[in-house]
Amino acid sequence: MARIPYRSKDVDLMARMMRAEAEGEGKQGMLYVGNVIVNRVVADCTDFNELRSVEDVIFHVQGGNYSFEAVQKGNLFYQPAREAERRLARLNLKYWRDHPAKYALWYFNPYGPCPPQWYNQPFTGQYKAHCFYEPSPGTCDSVYT
């Protein structure tokens, strides 16, 4: 059984975002971005308690900006999905999760070292240029199921 319900439209949308956000970090980096997307759909807490689909997550606006920079700035996001990224997206949607993004709800690419916290959320690890953060203990139990 899949981690979340999805349609082929969700696979394409997620594949495009994974590529736009992490193509330079290879398959592993794109899978980590996919973990964050699926985790945000699953999460019933903080900024994500109203998000229930891949589309909700991808086009989520916080503080007047899209949560994913690639939506407003990325040329790659607006190119058609490729089968290689679709396969990765389906892996995430069905079952794939791994550290440091296994339970992560946030990631970003800093100009320096990864800070130990991001908006008071603990650092879980780094993969290439991206730093990953999961919810503080007791604040979002739904992401751990």
Side-chain angles (χ1 to χ4, degrees), residues 3 7 10 13 15 21 51 69 112-114 123 127 132 141:
R3 291 186 60 215
R7 304 162 300 182
D10 298 317
L13 188 59
E21 290 282 317
L51 309 179
E69 206 171 71
C114 295
F123 173 65
Y127 184 76
F132 293 88
D141 294 338

Side-chain angles (χ1 to χ4, degrees), residues 59-69 71-73:
F59 294 107
H60 184 219
V61 175
Q62 293 177 286
N65 294 305
Y66 288 104
S67 295
F68 293 98
E69 206 171 71
V71 174
Q72 58 198 39
K73 295 182 182 176

Side-chain angles (χ1 to χ4, degrees), residues 11 20 24 30 32 45 51 60 66 71 74 99 104 108 134:
V11 173
M30 288 188 278
Y32 290 144
C45 59
L51 309 179
H60 184 219
Y66 288 104
V71 174
H99 179 76
F108 81 110
E134 65 183 49

Side-chain angles (χ1 to χ4, degrees), residues 20-26 28-30 32-33 36 69 100-101 106-115 118 123-133:
E21 290 282 317
E23 182 178 42
E25 296 186 354
Q28 192 78 16
M30 288 188 278
Y32 290 144
V33 167
V36 170
E69 206 171 71
W106 303 273
Y107 66 87
F108 81 110
N109 182 349
Y111 293 106
C114 295
W118 181 249
F123 173 65
T124 58
Q126 180 173 356
Y127 184 76
K128 295 189 178 180
H130 283 105
C131 307
F132 293 88
Y133 298 82

Side-chain angles (χ1 to χ4, degrees), residues 13-86:
L13 188 59
M14 192 163 146
R16 290 171 29 216
M17 183 55 69
M18 291 164 67
R19 178 180 176 201
E21 290 282 317
E23 182 178 42
E25 296 186 354
K27 291 178 184 177
Q28 192 78 16
M30 288 188 278
L31 283 166
Y32 290 144
V33 167
N35 272 175
V36 170
I37 293 168
V38 174
N39 288 345
R40 286 182 180 187
V41 174
V42 171
D44 193 17
C45 59
T46 67
D47 298 326
F48 314 110
N49 58 4
E50 300 289 324
L51 309 179
R52 293 294 170 253
S53 70
V54 170
E55 186 173 5
D56 289 348
V57 169
I58 301 287
F59 294 107
H60 184 219
V61 175
Q62 293 177 286
N65 294 305
Y66 288 104
S67 295
F68 293 98
E69 206 171 71
V71 174
Q72 58 198 39
K73 295 182 182 176
N75 292 336
L76 280 179
F77 177 68
Y78 292 100
Q79 294 180 9
R82 300 183 302 195
E83 188 52 38
E85 286 87 23
R86 279 193 208 98

